[in-house]
Amino acid sequence: MRNEYAADRGLSEADLAGDWHAQFARWFADAVAFGLPEPNAMVVGTADAAGRPSGRTVLLKGFSPDGFVFFTNHASRKGTEAAANPYASLVFPWFPMQRQVVVAGTVQEVPRAETEAYFATRPRASQLGAWASPQSQVIPDRAALEARFREAAERFADDAPIPAPPHWGGLRVRPDSVEFWQGHAGRLHDRLRFRRTDAGDWIVERLAP
């Protein structure tokens, strides 16, 4: 299987915004306007203390110059790996646009107030699911999960606001590098990377495809 990339698309240094955050905001807006399904879907890669990697798709819930934020059960596989080995990669696979964004950086928990503010915006069923699901743990069957959901619904049956579970919260990936990848004909893709130097400054580098 092989798809040829467009020859009339490209990414030059002159095309870039002044910093990675502004460039990501520009490309993210393009992805939304393009009509991609869930343009905020990203592959999150983590590794355990022994360096054994794992990956999964999650939804980006916010980005700023401080980094990229998503939410999870801290006892999940990604949560425990991020705690043991606080580094992660993110990949935004915008294939129909022949684009990718690849991020690498450190992981830190967001302040609890930020978690609680976001949790309050979630649909009630999703809030109950956060209480019901022992994410990444082995369970006997679907019925056991649905029973836990019913128990959570009974526990919070009075329509009062549901608090964020203590084991659930946000993680922020603070980037050390953000690569913008644009497909090009002949597999001569454009790869421009913003990289944080040891001095804390940001530089732009072109990578060979």
Side-chain angles (χ1 to χ4, degrees):
M1 294 179 285
R2 177 174 291 273
N3 293 320
E4 188 58 73
Y5 292 89
D8 60 347
R9 298 184 185 180
L11 180 65
S12 71
E13 287 79 354
D15 295 327
L16 289 179
D19 56 67
W20 72 262
H21 175 258
Q23 181 63 33
F24 182 83
R26 180 185 297 172
W27 270 24
F28 187 77
D30 288 348
V32 173
F34 193 87
L36 293 183
E38 295 194 302
N40 59 327
M42 60 185 183
V43 179
V44 177
T46 54
D48 63 17
R52 291 170 295 198
S54 64
R56 76 291 291 159
T57 302
V58 304
L59 297 179
L60 175 73
K61 291 301 179 181
F63 65 92
S64 72
D66 292 329
F68 301 83
V69 174
F70 64 95
F71 293 84
T72 188
N73 185 319
H74 288 309
S76 67
R77 183 172 183 178
K78 58 184 171 296
T80 56
E81 288 184 350
N85 186 359
Y87 299 92
S89 67
L90 310 175
V91 180
F92 294 85
W94 296 328
F95 302 132
M97 302 177 69
Q98 301 177 3
R99 286 178 175 176
Q100 296 183 84
V101 178
V102 182
V103 179
T106 56
V107 183
Q108 55 189 207
E109 290 189 23
V110 306
R112 189 62 187 173
E114 187 174 338
T115 286
E116 292 172 350
Y118 168 71
F119 191 82
T121 70
R122 302 186 91 204
R124 194 171 184 86
S126 297
Q127 293 177 334
L128 293 172
W131 280 96
S133 175
Q135 192 174 22
S136 299
Q137 305 304 309
V138 175
I139 57 175
D141 50 33
R142 175 78 189 186
L145 181 62
E146 292 176 348
R148 290 177 64 98
F149 185 88
R150 288 194 297 272
E151 291 170 2
E154 292 171 0
R155 177 179 178 184
F156 301 105
D158 59 0
D159 290 331
I162 300 175
H167 55 265
W168 191 94
L171 295 177
R172 177 177 286 106
V173 178
R174 183 174 182 268
D176 294 317
S177 68
V178 184
E179 177 189 332
F180 295 88
W181 184 103
Q182 175 69 65
H184 203 281
R187 296 299 189 260
L188 295 179
H189 313 306
D190 287 310
R191 299 174 59 189
L192 295 180
R193 178 176 68 183
F194 289 85
R195 181 173 63 84
R196 189 197 308 268
T197 68
D198 292 341
D201 301 321
W202 285 89
I203 61 174
V204 175
E205 303 169 314
R206 177 171 287 270
L207 306 179

